[in-house]
Each structure stands twice: as C-alpha cells, then as structure tokens.
Amino acid sequence: MIPIYKPYMPDNLLPDIEKILYSGNLAYGKYGKLFEQALADYTGNLNILTVSSYNHAMQIVLSTLGLQQGDEIIASPVSCLASNQPFVVKNLKIVWADVNPETGSMCPEDVKKRITSKTKAIFHNHFCGYLGQIDEIRKIGIEHNLIVVDDCIEAFGSEFNGKKMGSNESDIAVFSFQTVRLPNTIDGAAISFKNQNLYEKAKMIRDYGIDRSKFRDVNGEISAECDIEVEGYGALMSEINSLIGIKQMNDIDDLLKKQRQNAIVWNERIAESKQIVPLNLNKETNPNFWVYGVLCEDKKLALEEFRKKGWYATGVHINNNIYSVFKNSEKLIGVSKFMNQFLALPCGWWVQ
C-alpha cells in the first residue's frame, strides 16, 4: 500500500555524520548556523532560529510573548495535537475558533467574535500544509493589536502571494522538521520572526535564557556580571540534526515540485467523481501538498475504497476540542462538518 507519509533522507550522509561524531563538536555550532542560513535564504527572513523539537519551538514562542496563566489565546481545534498541547503546559485559556468547512481553515468572522480584553494572541494553524485566510486573520491581528502566529507545523514551503511561509510578513511562524515533514531533521523545528527584539529574546530563551555574548569572562569562566533575566529551555539543535537539515534543503525544491505535480494528477483522477472533491484552496495560496486533501460525501466508504486500491487514505488528525485536557469541548458546526468529510491521500515525493 502506498503510505501517507514517508521519511526522506538524502544519500551519502554517513561520512559527514561520522566526522561530526568524532570531532568533539556535537552541540549547536558550525552546522547549526549553516542550517539557519539556509532557512533564512529560503524564506527570505534572517530572523530565524532552529530548535531541537517542535514542542520546544512552541514553548519558546509562548515564553517569548510573555504569556501567563489565565491569558486567552485563540486557536483552531482542526490541527495536530502537538500544536495545542503547549497551551496546556502554560495553563493558558484556549478559545477555539470555528473553521470554514470547505477548507478546514480558521474562520475570520468567528475569530472576531471570540476576541476579548484577555486575548493575547491568535494561533493560525495551516492544516496539512493548506494555508488559511492569511490576509483576513492578519488584518484582525493588526486591528486588535494581537500577534498572529502562523502555525506551519505541516506547511514548510507553502506559499502565500508568491512568498514562502516564514517570510518577514508573518509576525511569527513555526515549522516542524519531525520525521515525516520536509525538511526532516529526524526531530527539530524552526521559528521565524518579523520583530528583531522578539527574535533576540527567543534566541536567549532557546538557550536557558543565556546571552552568550556576556556569559563568560576573558578566562572562559562563567561571569557573575551576566544576569539571567528570562525563563529558558535547552532547545538548541545538535550538529548532526543540523547537518541532515542542510542536506535536505539542497533537495527541497525538487521534492516539493514532485508533490505539486502529484496533486495535479490527483485533480485529474477525481475530476469525474461527484462524491469526492478536492479541498478548496484559499486565494493566493500554494500548498506544499504534504498530503492531498479531499472532501467526501461518505468519508468511511471513500477511505475503504482508496485503501482497497492501495492508497493509504486517512483523516490524519482528529479535532482537538474532543480532548478533556483543553477544558473546552465547545461543539463547532464548521469543525464537525469538515472533520466528517475530510480525507487525506498520499501525495508525497515517493508517489509515482
């Protein structure tokens, strides 16, 4: 059966990995900086940090924004569980926004209705690599003086108005480089920032709150003159993970091109079907086609039929408002309709 996911790994990695293993330099360093530069070149944004995991990346964003227990954030329940669990760790109040059932993306009109004086940020998930109504959500953020975080957990390489996600048009964008993403660093993530001060703050939070330019004195000893002013995490990416990321960035354009070509083939395959239609695209967006999304009149039947034909069809995620940990089980009409119809089909670089 053709799988829905498959980890990508470039050839001829082992000689370089072996050099790192015996170099004595295993932590973030030369390759970490080169990987960040490759990401900056790709997104067009110099303010980008690599991080050891997506969960760490989200926690760093929450700390950088100074979010505290009881603060409200607006998020979508139509997302990966990994996107929303960090809010629980910080004891934030999660306010779910409904989605457009034809796209699965956050509904701007519903977001507006949910903003209160306690709202501190909007987390705009781009489900399965399909981008949401970016202009509309950003305008809401500007109108209410709220940071909009583009949650691109599955959307690296997706484009809006011809620009890659993570460009300096996003307040903040978060990417996952976990095994089934592109690029895949086995585990890892990245965060991009529009605001230079937030970027500099996040850089310290990523590294236990340390300002490395002041941390040690002329003798290499830890300096008492260097205060630690912010909370922090040990979230630097290792040199091996960074090396793998660099190698994958060399191939990223070809891999995404293949996925977009596969999507065109899927368009042709289902063109005659009345029961299955492609997921609607929001205007001016170009997905990375991590998966190929469809809406089905009978999701269970369609899943069974695709699997019989050798395609591992799946719903991918389940709506997070069903989980008690979030303390918000509000039923949302758009969410329910979308989840009852959405199905993902294999569209990755491995599909012939």
Side-chain angles (χ1 to χ4, degrees), residues 106 108-109 111-112 115 122 124 132-150 160-161 169-171 194 283-284:
M106 186 178 272
E109 291 305 315
V111 170
K112 288 179 186 178
I115 294 173
I122 300 169
H124 189 191
Q133 292 179 251
I134 291 176
D135 263 345
E136 291 85 347
I137 297 298
R138 286 178 181 169
K139 286 175 183 175
I140 293 170
I142 292 168
E143 181 182 346
H144 293 273
N145 196 29
L146 297 171
I147 290 283
V148 175
V149 179
D150 284 306
F160 176 66
N161 281 336
E169 292 189 2
S170 293
D171 290 337
K194 178 188 290 187
K283 63 182 180 179
E284 308 302 329

Side-chain angles (χ1 to χ4, degrees), residues 163-201:
K163 292 190 175 182
K164 304 286 194 304
M165 294 304 292
S167 74
N168 55 16
E169 292 189 2
S170 293
D171 290 337
I172 299 173
V174 190
F175 303 98
S176 171
F177 301 148
Q178 197 265 343
T179 50
V180 297
R181 320 289 188 212
L182 284 176
N184 145 36
T185 60
I186 301 179
D187 204 357
I191 318 167
S192 70
F193 296 86
K194 178 188 290 187
N195 182 283
Q196 181 75 25
N197 291 332
L198 290 180
Y199 165 72
E200 296 294 343
K201 182 179 179 182

Side-chain angles (χ1 to χ4, degrees), residues 58-75 83-96 118-123 149 231 233 324-328:
M58 286 293 288
Q59 296 286 1
I60 289 167
V61 168
L62 301 182
S63 294
T64 301
L65 295 178
L67 299 184
Q68 303 292 324
Q69 180 175 345
D71 286 342
E72 292 182 5
I73 57 90
I74 296 175
S83 293
N84 294 321
Q85 269 283 19
F87 307 141
V88 178
V89 176
K90 281 284 191 178
N91 291 309
L92 304 178
K93 182 179 178 182
I94 302 166
V95 178
W96 298 127
K118 294 184 179 180
T119 306
K120 302 300 181 183
I122 300 169
F123 286 78
V149 179
E231 61 192 75
Y233 307 87
S324 60
V325 70
F326 296 117
K327 299 177 182 177
N328 182 354

Side-chain angles (χ1 to χ4, degrees), residues 194-226:
K194 178 188 290 187
N195 182 283
Q196 181 75 25
N197 291 332
L198 290 180
Y199 165 72
E200 296 294 343
K201 182 179 179 182
K203 189 186 293 187
M204 289 195 294
I205 290 172
R206 177 183 64 167
D207 189 18
Y208 298 107
I210 295 170
D211 180 348
R212 288 288 170 181
S213 68
K214 304 175 183 176
F215 190 56
R216 294 188 182 274
D217 63 22
V218 292
N219 294 317
E221 294 295 293
I222 296 175
S223 172
E225 300 301 315
C226 178

